């Protein structure tokens, strides 16, 4: 490792010993306020992530969300501090920072589309086509579902959140519908303070250091890629409004609105070698509103509205010139009732209606190709029409937590609950899309059509309709109900704590009844909480998707017709639905976990070993009878995570306070999920290390960083109203297996692709963030933030292709984000 990699560590450690401040720190907001004026808290209390090893949950509160360097404020940016979370090698690039799509992420090497996303206790995961991990800026499909979807039904803005709970192991029975991890977000609610908070942020290409392969410099400089592969000229703007207002003594309203937008240049060369320039708009809007009311001490209700939408432009192709708009949008209404009974039991009811959609809106639904006049190349124009895929779900989740009770020498805390969800989903092409190809009546070779009449009335000469492809209108619907019951008993007996959980899920579409045990035991070795040993054995059942039901149905809507010069039909081709009915089991993941939590003086440490064996993953396959999905996919992961912090014991030096948190994650994954659209990849045996093996035995090509180390520090200078945060990340490159281009022939004549190991480089980066919150006048407070990601501009190649002709791609270089604001 080069010496420069030590620089970020030295810089962060220097934050522990900042120079003396100009005045002593004010320890609470009361000392900073005039008694006759509204009080503003100058700085929040320093916090670090709370981690409970027994339930495998990391709690990230509102204060920490604001303190950490979080880039563009997406969930993925926030979860980088969790050592159990991994990201795609191709998720971010140095050449296309202009795009706004949030990254996907994986827990313990599991498929990213098998995570559970919850908002205020409701499952808000999108099951439309979540395994389509790539963006869609060009050439949308007319024979398959819309690409560029996501398992994240809502692209949340973390600035509008009160808390995020991240479960990666020993997940309680109250959570179901995942084989990876759980991200449970809580939107801000009224806390008794009335305020309006306005912020504006900006990021520009001039403030970024790009890293481009020499072979791509010309294409990058001109943004010569209509598919957003290169975005050398861009501007990102961020507008955020958050407010709280009390209405009477028992009611409060919370509102959060944000828009994050990007405007970036694209250009492309058409068939005439003419350069066309176009600017794309890419934006993410968020709206969250919540009304809280306390009827009396025992009864509390809340009603909420949520909306998230990502919408961006695109261009059909370099040949067909119509623009289109692609959107990933969600709307939701929610309600919560919490009631405490006389016995001390607590009853909670969550209700929600959520609609999620991926839509494609094109300029037209007709695209044509003409053989042009002599000396002119063929002319193409038009667009691909409109497509909509949608999911509407009504959810009901009751839960009863009984008052703690004693049975003999043990104490029990019993929770009984359930989930009921009715889902309507569909894929629809409301109107057909049409392709028309015109050929010459008299062809002058490569020079195009001859104008036999000599009239010059036609731009194309004498031609006829030669081929017509009709992509028909149609709709595929899937309505189903999922229901679940769960029981969770948390038992205390002496120095032991047990969690005995059981969850049963039923899916009316697949007609599967899945029973999942959730078991764990914790031994408080000395009875004082200083040393705790934990073991767990759990099963998690995953999700099913609309994509399976669509299969090849869309293909059967299409018809191809050929004509002769007189307009007579010479041949008609219709396409059959080659799909077969799916008899699928629900994917599942079995987990074994061992953990050790230790408190030593001011330090808290936790070490955890997790073994995940995932089976029945759904994959696309085919045989002589057609195409089908089966349960042939598998994944095996071993991981170790270790965290160390000194929460509650900040280092105080010269009027400053600093907390630090260190995390280490190691992982080894074998998987046959080797592409972004993994459930549409056919499994094949390969030749690897001297023998023929199943694809599932290969090292996973993505979401498989073997070692990651993270160090975060937060330093506050109360006298200056200043907070300085840093996050150092070390990610080892690891070894992947890739096709070397050669074939191996077995003794029986079978041929197999040969795979060989390829090692990627390590990467160390430092993200730093400085916030200044000066008190201006009366009850108003200013806000200034500067965040620099990858301060030392360290990058590595992410190329995983075996082809030398494919240029290198690199991780992002240095980027700067500025933000200003005011709180009233």
């Amino acid at each position: 490792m080069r010496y420069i990699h030590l620089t970020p560590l030295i810089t962060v450690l220097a934050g522990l010993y900042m120079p003396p401040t100009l005045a002593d720190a004010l320890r609470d907001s009361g000392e900073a306020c005039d008694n006759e004026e509204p009080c503003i808290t100058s700085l929040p209390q320093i916090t670090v992530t709370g981690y409970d090893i027994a339930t495998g949950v990391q709690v990230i509160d509102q204060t920490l969300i604001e303190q950490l360097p979080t880039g563009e404020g997406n969930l993925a940016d926030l979860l980088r501090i969790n050592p159990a979370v991994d990201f795609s090698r191709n998720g971010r690039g140095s050449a296309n920072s202009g795009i706004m799509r949030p990254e996907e992420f994986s827990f313990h090497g599991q498929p990213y589309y098998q995570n559970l996303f919850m908002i205020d206790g409701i499952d808000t995961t999108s099951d439309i086509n979540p395994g389509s991990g790539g963006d869609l800026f060009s050439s949308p499909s007319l024979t398959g579902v819309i690409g560029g979807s996501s398992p994240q039904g809502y692209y949340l803005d973390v600035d509008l959140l009160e808390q995020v709970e991240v479960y990666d192991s020993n997940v309680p029975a109250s959570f179901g519908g995942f084989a990876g991890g759980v991200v449970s977000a809580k939107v801000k609610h009224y806390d008794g303070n009335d305020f309006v908070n306005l912020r504006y942020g900006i990021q520009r290409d001039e403030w970024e250091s790009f890293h481009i392969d020499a072979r791509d410099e010309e294409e990058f400089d001109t943004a010569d890629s209509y598919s957003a592969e290169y975005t050398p000229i861009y501007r990102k703007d961020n507008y955020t409004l958050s407010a709280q207002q009390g209405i009477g003594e028992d009611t409060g309203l919370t509102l959060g609105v944000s828009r994050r937008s990007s405007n970036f240049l694209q250009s492309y060369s058409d068939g005439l070698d003419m350069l066309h320039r176009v600017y794309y708009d890419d934006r993410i809007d968020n709206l969250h509103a919540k009304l809280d009311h306390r009827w009396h001490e025992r009864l509390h209700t809340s009603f909420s509205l949520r909306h998230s939408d990502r919408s961006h432009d695109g261009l059909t192709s370099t040949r067909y010139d119509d623009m289109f708009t692609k959107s990933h949008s969600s709307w939701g209404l929610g309600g919560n009732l919490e009631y405490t009974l006389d016995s001390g039991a607590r009853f909670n009811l969550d209700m929600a209606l959520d609609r999620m959609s991926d839509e494609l809106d094109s300029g037209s639904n007709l695209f044509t190709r003409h053989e042009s006049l002599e000396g002119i190349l063929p002319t193409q124009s038009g667009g691909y029409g409109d497509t909509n895929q949608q999911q509407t779900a009504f959810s009901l989740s009751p839960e009863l937590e009984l008052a703690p009770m004693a049975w003999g020498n043990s104490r029990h805390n019993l929770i009984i609950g359930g989930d009921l969800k009715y889902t309507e989903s569909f894929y629809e092409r409301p109107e057909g899309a049409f392709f028309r190809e015109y050929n010459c009546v008299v062809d002058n070779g490569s020079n195009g059509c001859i104008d036999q009449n000599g009239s010059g009335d036609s731009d194309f000469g004498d031609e006829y309709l030669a081929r017509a492809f009709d992509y028909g209108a149609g709709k595929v619907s899937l309505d189903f109900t999922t229901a679940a019951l769960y029981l969770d008993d948390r038992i205390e007996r002496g120095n032991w704590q047990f969690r005995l959980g059981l969850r049963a899920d039923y899916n009316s579409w697949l007609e599967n009844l899945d029973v999942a045990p959730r078991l764990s035991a914790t031994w408080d070795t000395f009875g004082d909480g200083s040393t705790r040993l934990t073991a767990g054995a759990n099963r998690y059942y995953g999700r099913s998707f609309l994509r399976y039901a669509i299969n090849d149905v869309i293909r059967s809507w299409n018809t191809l017709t050929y004509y002769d010069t007189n307009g007579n039909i010479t041949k008609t081709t219709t396409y059959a639905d080659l799909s077969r009915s799916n008899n699928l089991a629900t994917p599942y993941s079995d987990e074994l976990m061992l953990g050790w939590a230790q408190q030593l003086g001011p330090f808290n440490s936790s070490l955890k070993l997790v073994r995940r064996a995932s089976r029945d993953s759904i994959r696309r396959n085919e045989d002589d009878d057609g195409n089908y999905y089966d349960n042939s996919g598998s994944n095996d992961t071993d991981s170790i995570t270790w965290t160390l912090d000194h929460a509650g014991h900040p280092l105080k030096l010269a009027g400053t306070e600093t907390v630090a948190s260190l995390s280490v994650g190691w992982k080894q994954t074998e998987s046959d999920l080797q592409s972004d659209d993994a459930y549409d990849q056919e499994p094949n045996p390969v030749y690897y290390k001297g023998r023929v093996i199943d694809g599932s035995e290969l090292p996973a090509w993505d979401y498989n960083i073997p070692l990651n180390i993270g160090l975060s520090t937060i330093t506050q200078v109360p006298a200056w109203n200043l907070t300085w945060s840093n996050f150092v990340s070390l990610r080892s490159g690891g070894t992947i297996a890739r096709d070397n281009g050669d074939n191996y022939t077995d003794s029986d004549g079978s041929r197999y692709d040969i795979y060989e190991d390829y090692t990627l480089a390590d990467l160390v980066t430092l993200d730093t963030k400085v916030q200044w919150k000066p008190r201006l006048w009366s009850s108003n407070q200013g806000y200034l933030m500067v965040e620099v990601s990858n301060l030392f501009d360290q990058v590595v190649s992410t190329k995983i292709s075996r082809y030398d002709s494919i240029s290198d791609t690199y991780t992002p270089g240095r980027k700067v984000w500025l933000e200003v604001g005011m709180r009233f």
Side-chain angles (χ1 to χ4, degrees):
M1 185 178 296
R2 293 182 297 171
Y3 71 90
I4 195 169
H5 288 167
L6 298 176
T7 308
L9 294 174
I10 296 172
T11 302
V12 173
L13 293 176
L16 301 177
Y17 302 96
M18 295 185 63
T21 59
L22 297 178
D24 291 335
L26 300 177
R27 292 302 304 135
D28 56 59
S29 59
E31 296 179 1
C33 302
D34 189 316
N35 292 332
E36 298 180 356
E37 295 181 348
C39 175
I40 299 176
T41 302
S42 298
L43 290 176
Q45 181 181 358
I46 295 179
T47 62
V48 298
T49 54
Y51 190 84
D52 184 351
I53 193 172
T55 55
V57 60
Q58 180 187 42
V59 180
I60 307 174
D61 64 16
Q62 179 179 338
T63 300
L64 189 59
I65 290 173
E66 182 170 330
Q67 290 172 341
L68 287 173
T70 54
E72 296 179 3
N74 302 309
L75 275 177
D77 301 309
L78 184 63
L79 298 189
R80 293 184 181 279
I81 61 175
N82 191 309
V85 176
D86 202 358
F87 299 85
S88 173
R89 300 181 189 275
N90 297 327
R92 289 183 173 179
S94 183
N96 60 347
S97 297
I99 62 175
M100 297 294 294
R101 179 186 173 96
E103 286 191 89
E104 307 296 351
F105 44 86
S106 163
F107 289 83
H108 295 298
Q110 304 306 301
Y112 68 88
Y113 50 83
Q114 284 288 359
N115 293 329
L116 173 65
F117 295 91
M118 304 190 71
I119 301 177
D120 291 339
I122 291 297
D123 179 357
T124 58
T125 314
S126 173
D127 295 325
I128 301 174
N129 183 27
S132 176
D135 248 325
L136 179 66
F137 286 94
S138 63
S139 302
S141 174
L142 289 172
T143 58
V145 293
I146 304 175
S149 187
S150 173
Q152 301 181 48
Y154 292 79
Y155 286 150
L156 294 175
D157 183 344
V158 298
D159 287 341
L160 305 180
L161 300 181
E162 176 179 281
Q163 179 178 285
V164 178
E165 296 177 343
V166 185
Y167 296 83
D168 71 272
S169 60
N170 269 359
V171 183
S174 56
F175 297 100
F178 68 96
V182 179
V183 180
S184 180
K186 296 181 180 179
V187 177
K188 291 179 179 178
H189 77 287
Y190 184 67
D191 61 5
N193 295 313
D194 297 339
F195 66 86
V196 176
N197 194 5
L198 299 172
R199 291 185 182 179
Y200 167 73
I202 183 172
Q203 180 183 345
R204 304 182 61 174
D205 58 87
E206 293 94 338
W207 304 341
E208 177 172 359
S209 175
F210 294 103
H211 297 266
I212 306 300
D213 191 283
R215 290 167 287 187
D216 298 328
E217 288 181 355
E218 182 178 353
E219 288 82 1
F220 175 79
D221 291 339
T222 58
D224 189 7
S225 174
Y226 68 100
S227 59
E229 183 179 358
Y230 306 119
T231 59
I233 299 176
Y234 72 87
R235 170 174 170 154
K236 292 183 176 180
D237 298 280
N238 174 27
Y239 307 88
T240 304
L241 163 67
S242 57
Q244 291 186 0
Q245 179 64 51
I247 306 173
E249 295 183 359
D250 302 311
T251 306
L253 176 65
T254 304
L255 175 66
V257 183
S258 72
R259 165 166 287 188
R260 299 177 183 268
S261 64
S262 175
N263 184 257
F264 58 88
L265 174 67
Q266 292 289 271
S267 64
Y268 62 95
S269 301
D270 61 15
L272 301 177
D273 291 330
M274 296 180 61
L275 188 66
H276 299 265
R277 297 167 66 90
V278 61
Y279 275 90
Y280 286 170
D281 290 313
D282 192 354
R283 59 174 174 77
I284 299 178
D285 293 334
N286 269 281
L287 166 65
H288 296 285
K290 183 179 289 187
L291 183 67
D292 292 281
H293 180 72
R294 183 170 296 279
W295 300 88
H296 50 74
E297 291 183 357
R298 294 185 181 180
L299 178 61
H300 173 266
T301 59
S302 66
F303 299 93
S304 59
L305 168 68
R306 51 181 171 263
H307 170 61
S308 177
D309 174 76
R310 187 214 174 186
S311 179
H312 65 78
D313 298 324
L315 184 65
T316 303
S317 71
T318 58
R319 297 180 300 164
Y320 303 106
D321 52 9
D322 271 356
M323 297 288 292
F324 65 82
T325 300
K326 164 70 172 60
S327 66
H328 175 76
S329 179
S330 299
W331 282 95
L333 296 172
N336 171 265
L337 180 149
E338 185 174 334
Y339 182 72
T340 303
L341 285 71
D342 294 338
S343 63
R346 181 188 61 86
F347 176 74
N348 187 80
L349 177 65
D350 289 305
M351 301 165 287
L353 177 66
D354 290 278
R355 171 166 291 177
M356 307 168 192
S357 63
D358 291 290
E359 297 183 356
L360 189 70
D361 185 5
S362 299
S364 72
N365 63 344
L366 172 66
F367 53 107
T368 61
R369 182 183 188 277
H370 295 269
E371 294 288 349
S372 300
L373 283 171
E374 183 174 352
I376 303 177
L377 293 174
T379 300
Q380 291 110 171
S381 64
Y384 286 1
D386 302 338
T387 308
N388 180 28
Q389 50 197 32
Q390 190 177 103
Q391 167 185 312
T392 303
F394 175 75
S395 305
L396 190 67
S397 299
E399 182 179 86
L400 177 63
E401 180 178 356
L402 301 180
M405 62 189 75
W407 293 351
N409 295 327
S410 62
R411 183 178 177 85
H412 296 253
N413 188 9
L414 187 64
I415 300 175
I416 304 171
D419 297 301
L420 181 64
K421 184 176 182 180
Y422 174 71
T423 303
E424 295 179 345
S425 56
F426 66 83
Y427 169 94
E428 180 182 30
R429 187 182 296 143
E431 296 181 351
F434 309 101
F435 169 65
R436 298 294 182 262
E437 181 177 36
Y438 296 87
N439 288 349
C440 301
V441 174
V442 178
D443 194 342
N444 192 25
S446 61
N447 293 322
C449 300
I450 296 176
D451 188 355
Q452 299 181 92
N453 299 323
S455 63
D457 293 334
S458 171
D459 293 333
F460 306 109
D462 291 319
E463 60 179 19
Y464 70 99
L465 176 61
R467 193 162 65 117
F469 209 136
D470 294 342
Y471 300 88
K475 185 175 183 179
V476 183
S477 299
L478 175 64
D479 302 340
F480 61 95
T481 301
T482 56
L485 290 175
Y486 60 85
L487 175 69
D488 204 339
D489 189 9
R490 304 188 181 192
I491 307 169
E492 296 182 10
R493 183 183 176 90
N495 290 354
W496 288 87
Q497 294 180 343
F498 302 92
R499 192 204 68 211
L500 305 180
L502 188 67
R503 182 182 179 94
D505 289 89
Y506 176 74
N507 182 308
S508 67
W509 171 35
L510 299 179
E511 298 183 347
N512 292 338
L513 176 62
D514 304 309
V515 180
R518 310 283 177 87
L519 309 173
S520 69
T522 299
W523 179 33
D524 186 352
T525 308
F526 303 108
D528 58 1
S530 61
T531 303
R532 293 176 295 136
L533 302 177
T534 299
N538 303 275
R539 171 168 286 195
Y540 312 121
Y541 279 96
R543 312 180 72 85
S544 56
F545 311 124
L546 174 64
R547 179 64 179 266
Y548 306 153
I550 294 175
N551 215 340
D552 287 341
V553 173
I554 301 170
R555 186 174 183 269
S556 67
W557 300 347
N558 305 331
T559 303
L560 175 60
T561 306
Y562 294 87
Y563 299 86
D564 62 19
T565 57
N566 297 319
N568 299 315
I569 296 176
T570 60
K571 181 182 178 182
T572 299
T573 302
T574 58
Y575 294 84
D577 179 3
L578 298 179
S579 61
R580 288 153 47 186
S581 60
N582 300 314
N583 184 19
L584 298 173
T586 307
Y588 68 91
S589 181
D590 282 337
E591 173 187 273
L592 295 177
M593 174 268 186
L594 293 174
W596 172 28
Q598 182 68 51
Q599 183 178 358
L600 185 63
F603 295 101
N604 304 303
S605 171
S606 64
L607 176 66
K608 183 171 60 177
L609 292 77
V610 175
R611 165 73 176 174
R612 286 286 193 94
S614 298
R615 299 294 181 265
D616 286 348
S617 297
I618 298 176
R619 305 290 301 276
R620 182 182 175 89
N621 216 324
E622 65 176 311
D623 56 23
D624 294 338
D625 296 325
N627 303 321
Y628 63 96
Y629 287 95
D630 63 17
N631 292 105
S632 61
S634 65
N635 177 296
D636 290 286
T637 298
D638 295 299
S639 65
I640 301 174
T641 58
W642 176 62
T643 61
L644 177 69
D645 63 55
H646 52 104
H649 300 83
L651 174 64
K652 300 179 181 180
L653 182 66
T656 69
E657 294 187 3
T658 298
V659 295
S661 178
L662 175 67
S663 65
V664 179
W666 173 88
K667 178 172 69 281
Q668 179 175 293
T669 301
E670 293 180 348
S671 174
D672 56 1
L673 307 175
Q674 299 288 326
S675 70
D676 285 338
D677 291 310
Y679 48 48
D680 265 2
Q681 181 189 13
E682 300 171 15
N684 292 305
V686 300
Y687 187 80
Y688 178 65
K689 291 187 175 180
R691 63 190 182 96
V692 177
I693 64 171
D694 187 83
S696 63
E697 299 179 57
L698 288 171
W701 76 277
D702 206 3
Y703 300 96
N704 188 25
I705 302 298
L707 177 65
N708 66 84
I709 301 174
L711 172 64
S712 64
T713 67
I714 301 173
T715 299
Q716 289 190 349
V717 190
W720 294 350
N721 296 309
L722 198 69
T723 302
W724 177 32
S725 307
N726 297 278
F727 180 65
V728 180
S729 172
L730 183 152
R731 286 160 55 97
S732 67
T735 299
I736 63 172
R738 67 180 186 183
D739 189 346
N740 70 0
D742 295 329
N743 294 307
Y744 168 77
T745 302
D746 212 341
S747 57
D748 61 0
S750 301
R751 292 167 61 87
Y752 304 95
D753 292 333
I754 299 177
Y755 275 68
E756 61 182 14
D757 288 338
Y758 176 73
T759 301
L760 299 169
D762 301 341
L763 175 65
V764 177
T765 60
L766 167 63
D767 300 334
T768 188
K769 178 178 180 178
V770 178
Q771 298 178 83
W772 182 42
K773 295 183 177 181
R775 184 174 180 181
L776 300 180
W777 61 89
S778 183
S779 60
N780 299 332
Q781 185 179 55
Y783 177 80
L784 175 64
M785 185 275 289
V786 180
E787 181 172 336
V788 183
S789 61
N790 194 3
L791 178 64
F792 295 100
D793 198 26
Q794 299 295 296
V795 300
V796 295
S797 171
T798 60
K799 184 179 70 173
I800 60 175
S801 171
R802 63 180 171 83
Y803 299 104
D804 292 335
S805 60
I806 295 181
S807 304
D808 279 348
T809 55
Y810 297 91
T811 54
R814 181 191 302 113
K815 289 189 285 189
V816 179
W817 181 272
L818 299 180
E819 193 167 272
V820 296
M822 182 172 290
R823 179 183 173 112
F824 302 91

